[in-house]
Amino acid sequence: MNYRLHVSKCALALLLLTLYILGCFSSLPPTEAPLMDGHPFIVVWNVPTERCRKLRVAMDTSAFQDVSTPAAVPGQFLTLFYEDRLGLYPRVSDAPAQKQFNGGIPQRGNLTQHLDTVLRDIAHYINSLPGLAVIDWEAWRPIWQQNWGSKHIYQKLSMAYAQQQQAYSHSNPEKLTAVAKSQFETAGKSFMAKTISLGIELKPKKRWGFYLFPDCYNHGWTKAGYTGRCSETTQRSNDAMRWLWEASTALYPSVYLHSSLRNSPKATLYVQNRIQEALRVARLPKRPYTVPVYVYARPLYRDLNKYLSMEDLVNTIGESAALGASGTVVWGASADFNDTAKCEALSGYLIANLNRYVANVTVAARLCSHVLCQSNGRCVRKDYESRDYLHLNHDHFDIMKMEGTYLAVGTPSSADLRALEQRFTCQCYAGRRCSAKLSPATDRVMFIHV
């Protein structure tokens, strides 16, 4: 026998054995285990309702796995770092003022002073417990050509900076643009990668990532033949940001819905492909397991003071769970809840719609993980473009509130279980074995806490 062939076969056998031990014979790579044990999918409340409390409007958020505020409050499970809360982020204010802060563009920023300030900000805001750390830097994008529209100011300032630094004449615009692009992308990468790396070093139990990254830029739903797919150009740009995905320990895409998508099949296409791109990006780094994806959603349409319909709750939170995300963050702006009428509307929406749907989805995800993945993985839709969801069957389960918490009471039928097996597969948690195979159904009533 050829010696090299023999060694290769041995290596292959060892690899297959390792994969078997890790439970990775699924087509899906292993993923990080949940932050909250036994909760494959969580929904986090991140809405600023401080004004509502002052107005004495009660909010029932007991269906959520965590309740936090985007306000500057230290020690929360979810810490949201806006532009002015983490370091000395170089940026330009919105037009028409266009005031420059911290150098305006990353190549004029002071990275050393920035990181010193980051260290102090992290020490102030973040504890050492497991949780989420989200950096919300939206002024510029680290890929040169993605700074269009109002963000074109960063290209303009970078061109002026390059001309000043390199003394290039206007007669050589191509060379000037190339230098400006290189300087901007190099400095932008340093600011983002070193900031998040310092965060992970200081608070390793938090899941660090940038809000809106990765993006899909699939906003053309008004055009005929809209598919929602991310363009090849966008995917190549996301591939080029591998350095960011390798530095991150979580991804935070957004699926905020415009009112023109209300109850539209295009909303499904829009959301599915944004989440699917994040899941694809999570597989790019050469790691033993993929990082979690937490999807940002809003209870309101982004351009209208109107709450999401039940169909659009399914299109956002439901899609996130079914596609294999680790959770959804429900975020709101302070302007959305700044008077009694708005607060009362939110309170009513929570009681009538949102809480019960959150309870349904989170319990269904736990149930599927238990019966199909031996509680060692999360259920993932086999066909990402299908309309199969992790929902409890209302004929067999009741959702009720008791002693301050929501309960799902019931037991799945044999048909319910077979439907899960037919429509979902399992993504195993790192280091655990699982297979998409039904466990014996229990014949007793299941009381499942949210």
Side-chain angles (χ1 to χ4, degrees):
M1 178 184 290
N2 182 287
Y3 175 73
R4 290 183 178 179
L5 180 61
H6 177 70
V7 171
S8 297
K9 286 184 175 181
C10 290
L12 178 60
L14 181 60
L15 174 62
L16 292 175
L17 177 61
T18 302
L19 290 174
Y20 179 79
I21 292 173
L22 293 177
C24 299
F25 267 110
S26 167
S27 60
L28 297 171
T31 189
E32 185 178 69
L35 274 177
M36 297 181 180
D37 189 42
H39 290 269
F41 180 79
I42 64 173
V43 184
V44 177
W45 180 256
N46 194 226
V47 177
T49 55
E50 296 82 7
R51 177 65 175 163
C52 296
R53 284 199 297 271
K54 292 179 181 178
L55 294 170
R56 298 184 179 181
V57 179
M59 294 291 162
D60 178 6
T61 54
S62 55
F64 295 83
Q65 281 67 57
D66 180 79
V67 176
S68 60
T69 174
V73 176
Q76 300 189 95
F77 174 83
L78 189 158
T79 301
L80 182 57
F81 286 110
Y82 289 125
E83 296 173 349
D84 58 349
R85 288 187 196 163
L86 188 64
L88 304 175
Y89 174 57
R91 64 192 190 280
V92 180
S93 65
D94 294 337
Q98 293 190 333
K99 180 181 178 181
Q100 297 182 33
F101 296 90
N102 306 315
I105 53 177
Q107 55 268 51
R108 292 185 60 191
N110 189 318
L111 183 58
T112 300
Q113 289 184 5
H114 165 74
L115 294 175
D116 287 342
T117 308
V118 166
L119 190 151
R120 293 193 295 271
D121 290 338
I122 290 175
H124 174 72
Y125 283 110
I126 296 190
N127 59 35
S128 297
L129 300 174
L132 309 179
V134 186
I135 303 173
D136 186 6
W137 287 358
E138 300 180 51
W140 45 263
R141 303 182 183 109
I143 300 295
W144 173 266
Q145 61 264 31
Q146 290 182 344
N147 289 285
W148 52 70
S150 63
K151 293 178 175 27
H152 181 68
I153 184 64
Y154 293 95
Q155 293 184 358
K156 181 180 178 181
L157 291 174
S158 295
M159 296 278 283
Y161 178 78
Q163 189 168 28
Q164 178 186 7
Q165 295 293 307
Q166 305 292 335
Y168 290 123
S169 67
H170 287 289
S171 61
N172 196 348
E174 291 184 0
K175 187 172 183 180
L176 178 63
T177 300
V179 171
K181 176 178 180 293
S182 176
Q183 290 177 337
F184 173 83
E185 291 189 342
T186 299
K189 174 181 177 180
S190 293
F191 262 89
M192 294 181 73
K194 291 186 178 181
T195 297
I196 199 169
S197 295
L198 179 59
I200 294 168
E201 178 184 346
L202 295 172
K203 303 293 180 180
K205 291 185 179 180
K206 301 296 183 184
R207 297 299 170 258
W208 289 83
F210 284 87
Y211 167 69
L212 264 182
F213 287 86
D215 207 333
C216 178
Y217 304 109
N218 58 342
H219 301 108
W221 57 77
T222 59
K223 299 177 182 178
Y226 177 72
T227 65
R229 299 288 179 89
C230 311
S231 70
E232 292 184 4
T233 300
T234 294
Q235 289 189 325
R236 285 196 297 269
S237 294
N238 285 338
D239 290 346
M241 284 195 289
R242 185 188 292 260
W243 55 268
L244 182 57
W245 321 134
E246 290 176 343
S248 304
T249 52
L251 302 179
Y252 295 99
S254 167
V255 296
Y256 298 166
L257 290 184
H258 194 276
S259 62
S260 61
L261 290 172
R262 187 175 187 270
N263 296 336
S264 168
K266 292 182 179 180
T268 310
L269 298 175
Y270 174 75
V271 172
Q272 280 179 348
N273 286 282
R274 294 178 74 81
I275 298 174
Q276 194 67 14
E277 176 65 1
L279 295 168
R280 184 190 74 85
V281 163
R283 296 194 290 267
L284 291 179
K286 294 181 179 179
R287 287 182 172 138
Y289 54 84
T290 64
V291 299
V293 173
Y294 295 93
V295 181
Y296 265 75
R298 290 187 69 176
L300 294 159
Y301 295 99
R302 63 182 307 161
D303 62 322
L304 188 67
N305 189 27
K306 189 175 182 66
Y307 286 96
L308 296 187
S309 66
M310 183 55 67
E311 183 174 345
D312 286 333
L313 284 178
V314 175
N315 280 332
T316 51
I317 299 174
E319 285 289 336
S320 301
L323 288 169
S326 295
T328 295
V329 177
V330 177
W331 177 88
S334 56
D336 296 332
F337 315 106
N338 57 8
D339 62 37
T340 301
K342 292 178 181 178
C343 290
E344 288 177 345
L346 174 61
S347 179
Y349 183 69
L350 280 163
I351 294 171
N353 298 88
L354 189 52
N355 279 339
R356 292 188 179 278
Y357 185 70
V358 167
N360 189 315
V361 173
T362 52
V363 171
R366 292 176 64 188
L367 174 65
C368 187
S369 173
H370 175 67
V371 301
L372 192 63
C373 309
Q374 303 81 54
S375 297
N376 289 327
R378 67 170 46 89
C379 290
V380 179
R381 183 189 281 163
K382 287 183 178 179
D383 176 5
Y384 93 91
E385 294 181 301
S386 76
R387 299 300 301 269
D388 299 324
Y389 294 101
L390 292 170
H391 289 162
L392 298 175
N393 188 330
H394 291 296
D395 291 336
H396 304 136
F397 279 91
D398 289 320
I399 295 174
M400 59 186 67
K401 189 175 181 183
M402 185 180 299
E403 297 181 353
T405 189
Y406 280 82
L407 299 175
V409 182
T411 189
S413 67
S414 297
D416 293 337
L417 297 176
R418 287 196 301 272
L420 289 176
E421 187 175 39
Q422 291 167 2
R423 298 167 184 173
F424 290 86
T425 187
C426 294
Q427 185 173 25
C428 304
Y429 303 140
R432 303 191 199 177
R433 290 180 57 183
C434 76
S435 59
K437 183 179 180 181
L438 286 175
S439 303
T442 177
D443 57 1
R444 62 184 176 83
V445 175
M446 300 175 67
F447 291 85
I448 305 178
H449 284 267
V450 177

